[in-house]
Amino acid sequence: MSEIQKQQEFDQKNVQFRIRLEQLQEDQLVIRKEQRYIEEQQEEFFQLQQQEQAAYNFVLGNCEVEERAFFEERGDESLHLAKKAQREFDEQLLQLKKEERSLFDQEENLKVEQQTFWKKAEEKENGA
């Protein structure tokens, strides 16, 4: 193999490393954006839940005795659904954090692979 071919192969491999690294970093950015979006949804949901609970408390304080059980049941159901939604938000965030960790690990492994490639190429060059 000629020196030009060796250099072209080396350059091509470096381009492949760079492309893979850039893709991993882009994927990490997408995950961070998704995490922020879910966190914003959680905050908005919490505020809405607070408003809803205040409304139920107001209604309970001003309703007829015979209507009270109906509104209490609706409030309990709403609270149950809110807790379920919060668990789903938490599960989504946990999954995104796992994906992000996986991407970081892949990036580190790729960097190690790249360093090993460079080291072998340098050893071949110095040994030749």
Side-chain angles (χ1 to χ4, degrees):
M1 187 181 297
S2 74
E3 285 300 315
I4 293 174
Q5 288 174 323
K6 288 179 184 178
Q7 185 62 43
Q8 286 175 339
E9 186 178 297
F10 180 83
D11 292 344
Q12 182 180 8
K13 188 73 171 176
N14 277 322
V15 167
Q16 290 172 352
F17 280 124
R18 184 181 48 78
I19 290 170
R20 288 171 52 199
L21 279 171
E22 286 174 359
Q23 183 60 52
L24 287 169
Q25 290 168 348
E26 286 176 25
D27 292 347
Q28 291 168 5
L29 181 60
V30 168
I31 295 238
R32 282 192 294 276
K33 285 179 180 179
E34 287 179 32
Q35 287 175 338
R36 274 194 302 272
Y37 178 72
I38 289 174
E39 289 167 351
E40 289 169 2
Q41 283 183 318
Q42 281 181 305
E43 289 174 20
E44 288 178 27
F45 184 76
F46 178 75
Q47 290 174 359
L48 289 172
Q49 181 61 26
Q50 295 291 74
Q51 293 171 0
E52 184 180 39
Q53 285 302 312
Y56 275 117
N57 289 336
F58 176 79
V59 169
L60 287 174
N62 295 306
C63 70
E64 301 294 325
V65 175
E66 56 275 357
E67 295 174 329
R68 187 172 192 80
F70 173 80
F71 288 115
E72 285 176 340
E73 188 176 318
R74 297 290 93 61
D76 291 344
E77 184 179 321
S78 171
L79 189 58
H80 170 72
L81 292 173
K83 287 180 181 180
K84 181 180 176 186
Q86 184 58 48
R87 281 191 303 273
E88 290 174 6
F89 281 134
D90 291 342
E91 288 171 8
Q92 287 176 330
L93 278 176
L94 181 61
Q95 184 60 39
L96 288 171
K97 288 181 189 295
K98 285 179 182 179
E99 289 176 28
E100 183 180 38
R101 179 76 253 157
S102 174
L103 289 170
F104 282 136
D105 291 344
Q106 290 176 44
E107 181 181 4
E108 284 302 311
N109 291 337
L110 184 59
K111 286 179 180 178
V112 167
E113 184 181 337
Q114 185 179 36
Q115 292 292 329
T116 302
F117 172 75
W118 288 342
K119 191 172 188 175
K120 285 181 182 178
E122 184 179 312
E123 288 172 357
K124 283 181 183 177
E125 188 177 298
N126 290 337

